[in-house]
Amino acid sequence: MRRLRPAFAGLEVAFASVHSAYAEEVPGHRFYAIRDVTRWDRIGLAILVAQLTFILLRERPHVVVTTGSAPGMIALALAKCLLRSRTMWIDSIANCEQISGSGARAKRFSDVWLTQWPHLQRTSGPDCWGAVL
């Protein structure tokens, strides 16, 4: 997401990450540290859902963009269901051989569903609009 910052110039943007140290890389923006979870961590999932719900209700975003992972997919689902926000999933650059598990699940909550690898683009999605790197 940090590489996409220039695309958000002039907009009011808040960031959330599972890495609290990233707050230093987005000075001047609101930043939220959230719990990192897997689908097998049920208590962690409940905590994450509570964190994300609080953030979404506080921020009331019109658009939510994520570059992947389970927390990002859950954020998209909550934003779409609770607030009817527009949503964009950009599958991580690390997923070069196949769409991530979270990315496959994010399709149903994404207004725009993207991969960064042209060979993973399909007619039914995801689309490839180019790479971030």
Side-chain angles (χ1 to χ4, degrees):
M1 286 305 297
R2 293 168 299 167
R3 290 187 175 112
L4 293 175
R5 273 186 44 199
F8 305 125
L11 299 174
E12 187 176 341
V13 179
F15 290 88
S17 176
V18 298
H19 302 290
S20 59
Y22 287 171
E24 297 171 5
E25 298 185 31
V26 290
H29 295 282
R30 290 177 309 287
F31 181 89
Y32 300 91
I34 58 173
R35 186 175 181 116
D36 195 7
V37 300
T38 66
R39 62 182 172 222
W40 299 283
D41 180 7
R42 298 202 186 255
I43 293 172
L45 280 169
I47 292 168
L48 175 67
V49 167
Q51 288 177 317
L52 291 171
T53 299
F54 170 79
I55 293 166
L56 290 167
L57 291 176
R58 182 174 185 188
E59 293 292 335
R60 302 268 178 192
H62 297 282
V63 178
V64 175
V65 179
T66 183
T67 56
S69 80
M73 192 276 302
I74 294 167
L76 284 189
L78 288 170
K80 182 57 73 182
C81 295
L82 292 175
L83 303 172
R84 302 284 187 235
S85 300
R86 304 269 306 158
T87 57
M88 176 183 274
W89 175 274
I90 306 169
D91 213 39
S92 170
I93 193 97
N95 297 304
C96 61
E97 294 181 17
Q98 63 185 19
I99 296 298
S100 68
S102 294
R105 288 173 183 84
K107 176 183 180 178
R108 70 187 277 207
F109 303 108
S110 301
D111 294 303
V112 177
W113 186 42
L114 300 173
T115 177
Q116 298 183 60
W117 299 100
H119 65 278
L120 294 179
Q121 180 174 327
R122 304 286 182 267
T123 305
S124 61
D127 291 326
C128 181
W129 294 355
V132 172
L133 290 179

